[in-house]
Amino acid sequence: MTSSSIVVADGKPLVWASRIAGTPLPARVAGSDLIWSLSAAAAGAGRSVFLLGGEPGTATRADHALRARFPGIRIAGHLSPPFGFDTDPGGFQQVCDTVTAAAPDLVFVGLGFPKQERVIARLRPLLPRTWFLGCGAAIGFVAGVHSRAPGWMQRTGLEWVHRLAGEPRRLMRRYLIDDAPFALRLLAGSALDRLHTRKATP
């Protein structure tokens, strides 16, 4: 994240924490929204995109969905790597070779944290003129493999409940064991920072 050119708040807890700390962020910017807006911009500018991620067949379906939505878009390629490719040097290299050969202007990397960040770090030196967006489950949403939560759940920070209900076996540990304690620590730390700032203000 520290090497990223742009960092956005993709989760509601980050927005809440910024408000508690007294330095509110303007809004949540979800990768699930950016994949649509950036694809529209790419189509209008004649730029090419590459879809990297999702379960087998997902990137292919997302390719078709983007072409249907934006007739002028240039899809440089799409790939849904097999599970565990990143732990296999040969498989990892093959994925990098495929993306590099396509030479896209923008790559949507939907492999989840922290895998997508590691893949982007490997690809950036190989494609210095290319922009990369870590977009989590966005490719699956575009493909229609997974559905996004209703608007009210997105606005109230309950989108994770919708996703957990849809994929309980895959996401239970991530949301309840890994993410929830982190979110609570983040909010508590922001509250303490705000309290210390108030005490230090004469």
Side-chain angles (χ1 to χ4, degrees):
M1 183 180 293
T2 55
S3 62
S4 300
S5 301
I6 300 173
V7 179
V8 298
D10 191 9
K12 270 293 186 180
L14 292 172
V15 176
W16 293 335
S18 70
R19 293 173 181 171
I20 292 172
T23 55
L25 293 168
R28 176 190 178 208
V29 182
S32 305
D33 296 321
L34 281 176
I35 194 169
W36 291 110
S37 58
L38 290 179
S39 292
R47 300 291 186 177
S48 62
V49 303
F50 192 103
L51 299 162
L52 177 60
E55 299 164 4
T58 300
T60 301
R61 294 176 62 174
D63 179 323
H64 296 161
L66 289 179
R67 290 180 191 274
R69 180 81 168 264
F70 310 112
I73 195 168
R74 293 170 52 208
I75 305 292
H78 59 260
L79 180 64
S80 294
F83 180 78
F85 80 93
D86 54 313
T87 60
D88 172 21
F92 202 154
Q93 187 61 51
Q94 186 174 6
V95 168
C96 291
D97 289 345
T98 299
V99 179
T100 303
D105 295 305
L106 171 63
V107 183
F108 294 114
V109 187
L111 298 169
F113 175 84
K115 186 184 298 183
Q116 62 192 21
E117 283 71 25
R118 291 198 295 264
V119 171
I120 291 172
R122 176 79 73 90
L123 286 170
R124 284 182 70 180
L126 304 174
L127 294 166
R129 297 180 180 274
T130 298
W131 281 73
F132 297 89
L133 173 70
C135 60
I139 294 175
F141 292 142
V142 171
V145 174
H146 304 296
S147 63
R148 285 200 71 184
W152 69 269
M153 296 187 82
Q154 297 178 37
R155 292 189 296 272
T156 55
L158 293 175
E159 189 167 9
W160 67 273
V161 176
H162 177 84
R163 291 200 59 202
L164 179 59
E167 299 180 85
R169 293 184 63 183
R170 189 175 75 86
L171 297 177
M172 184 173 292
R173 176 178 177 82
R174 172 184 166 185
Y175 284 151
L176 300 183
I177 298 177
D178 297 332
D179 289 359
F182 172 80
L184 291 174
R185 289 195 301 271
L186 175 67
L187 296 173
S190 297
L192 288 174
D193 288 344
R194 182 69 176 271
L195 182 62
H196 291 158
T197 299
R198 286 182 175 178
K199 288 183 177 180
T201 303

